[in-house]
Amino acid sequence: KNLIMKTIFLTISIILSSALYISCNNNDDEPTPPSPPIEENHPIVGKWNLIELRYSMWSSNCYYDSGDIVWNFKPDNTLEIFVKEGIEPEDSFSQGVLGDEYIYLINETSDTVCLAGNYYPDWFIGLSMNLNENTLILGGSLASDGAQYKFER
């Protein structure tokens, strides 16, 4: 019975993660109009300090001090990531694997942030978004090995 419950849980997690990813994909059949700039007073705009990174329910967390890794969401839909000298980031975004310049789009309907790096501009990665005034959590399902990023202002 325990194996069946785990299988059902993992299947649902994979389906939900896939739905988030699909909601961010571009349709190559139709030209995509440029995304309007996000409102300057949108709560995501500004600098966010990465303080915790989790890869899955079974891995250990990575903790960072405020200022070690900073994600700056700008009103023109660009994202700058700053890594303090001497810090070895664990995630592909902060390592620059996907690019050294990022754009982001917000899908308010599904509370999702979609990120694309300049190395793969048509490959958007959808991350669920939980946002309040001083805390931002981005990430997929930990059960399906989706990374989860926790930020503070």
Side-chain angles (χ1 to χ4, degrees):
K1 183 175 181 174
N2 198 14
L3 180 61
I4 293 172
M5 293 301 293
K6 284 182 184 180
T7 304
I8 291 171
F9 178 74
L10 287 175
T11 303
I12 291 171
S13 297
I14 290 169
I15 290 170
L16 289 175
S17 296
S18 298
L20 284 175
Y21 178 77
I22 290 169
S23 72
C24 294
N25 283 344
N26 289 334
N27 182 349
D28 293 337
D29 298 335
E30 300 175 15
T32 304
S35 178
I38 193 163
E39 296 178 25
E40 286 192 38
N41 62 351
H42 190 284
I44 201 169
V45 172
K47 294 181 180 178
W48 292 91
N49 296 288
L50 179 61
I51 59 166
E52 184 179 350
L53 174 63
R54 294 181 70 184
Y55 280 111
S56 73
M57 294 180 353
W58 302 278
S59 66
S60 59
N61 300 356
C62 300
Y63 296 97
Y64 300 99
D65 292 328
S66 182
D68 285 351
I69 299 175
V70 179
W71 289 27
N72 184 16
F73 291 89
K74 300 171 94 176
D76 65 357
N77 292 85
T78 59
L79 168 64
E80 295 177 330
I81 300 176
F82 302 99
V83 179
K84 186 176 179 180
E85 189 173 332
I87 299 298
E88 296 291 330
E90 295 289 326
D91 67 292
S92 56
F93 292 113
S94 300
Q95 290 173 357
V97 171
L98 302 174
D100 52 13
E101 297 175 8
Y102 292 93
I103 62 169
Y104 71 96
L105 305 171
I106 294 180
N107 184 334
E108 299 283 357
T109 306
S110 63
D111 289 328
T112 305
V113 174
C114 301
L115 300 173
N118 60 320
Y119 297 163
Y120 307 98
D122 293 327
W123 187 42
F124 280 86
I125 297 175
L127 301 169
S128 63
M129 174 178 66
N130 185 344
L131 173 64
N132 66 39
E133 188 174 328
N134 295 311
T135 305
L136 169 64
I137 298 175
L138 299 176
S141 168
L142 293 177
S144 61
D145 288 334
Q148 189 175 79
Y149 301 79
K150 183 176 182 182
F151 299 88
E152 289 183 350
R153 289 248 187 228

